[in-house]
Amino acid sequence: MSILNSMKQKLHPLGIYSLSDGSVVTAELAAYAEVLDAIEAQLTELEQERFVVTAQSYGITMRELAIGSEQKNETIEKRRGVLLYRSALSETDFNKTAIESVLKTVGINGYIIELPEKNKIYINCLSLDVRGSDKEIKKQIISQFLPAHLECFFDFRNLQWQFIEERSNTFDRMDAMSLTWDEIENFVPIW
């Protein structure tokens, strides 16, 4: 029911107002209804943005800014997933499996190597779900879930041992190319 019809329905039992379509009272009620419709739309949007599961714009952005930085390059669903994951932490969420889950939630495909004897964690970031994503922001988000007593190294390089082994490159063959480490890291084979 529209706001105008609701107001007319509430005033009708009083019997002192002319509520026909052309009356002055109906025109005044229509003016009120116009403003109240806009307020109702704003309140509906506010209610939607208030909850992470229903937010579509500024509700997501405001929560992201409160916990770190806005993830403009990601989809709303991915951003919502990160926020929901962060809100559901428990004391058992600081292990290898949980950190790998954070990687996936943030949009990083990779794996973790634990080096307990050195108090280090090596995170090999094989690829990003969204090309061009800001790696530093992703590192900041993930770092919030890492044990504080461990040093963490993020590796975003494209070159992986598995890739090298698949090409059956020998040391002599690679050495014959006289590449620097940076050239090797960005090396694109043509064979």
Side-chain angles (χ1 to χ4, degrees), residues 34-120:
E34 191 75 26
V35 173
L36 290 173
D37 281 337
I39 291 171
E40 181 183 41
Q42 288 176 341
L43 289 173
T44 301
E45 179 187 12
L46 183 63
E47 183 178 21
Q48 178 184 12
E49 294 297 323
R50 179 179 178 200
F51 301 102
V52 174
V53 293
T54 57
Q56 295 296 318
S57 62
Y58 66 86
I60 298 281
T61 300
M62 289 174 60
R63 283 176 181 79
E64 287 175 334
L65 293 172
I67 62 169
S69 60
E70 184 179 3
Q71 302 293 309
K72 293 179 185 177
N73 294 337
E74 303 291 350
T75 65
I76 288 291
E77 291 77 22
K78 179 73 79 176
R79 294 166 68 188
R80 180 179 292 114
V82 170
L83 291 169
L84 289 172
Y85 184 86
R86 291 205 53 180
S87 301
L89 287 179
S90 71
E91 63 276 357
T92 61
D93 284 339
F94 297 96
N95 56 39
K96 183 178 178 180
T97 305
I99 296 169
E100 286 173 341
S101 179
V102 171
L103 289 176
K104 290 177 188 162
T105 302
V106 172
I108 293 178
N109 301 310
Y111 59 90
I112 296 172
I113 298 173
E114 297 174 296
L115 305 168
E117 66 283 351
K118 295 180 180 179
N119 287 333
K120 292 183 180 183

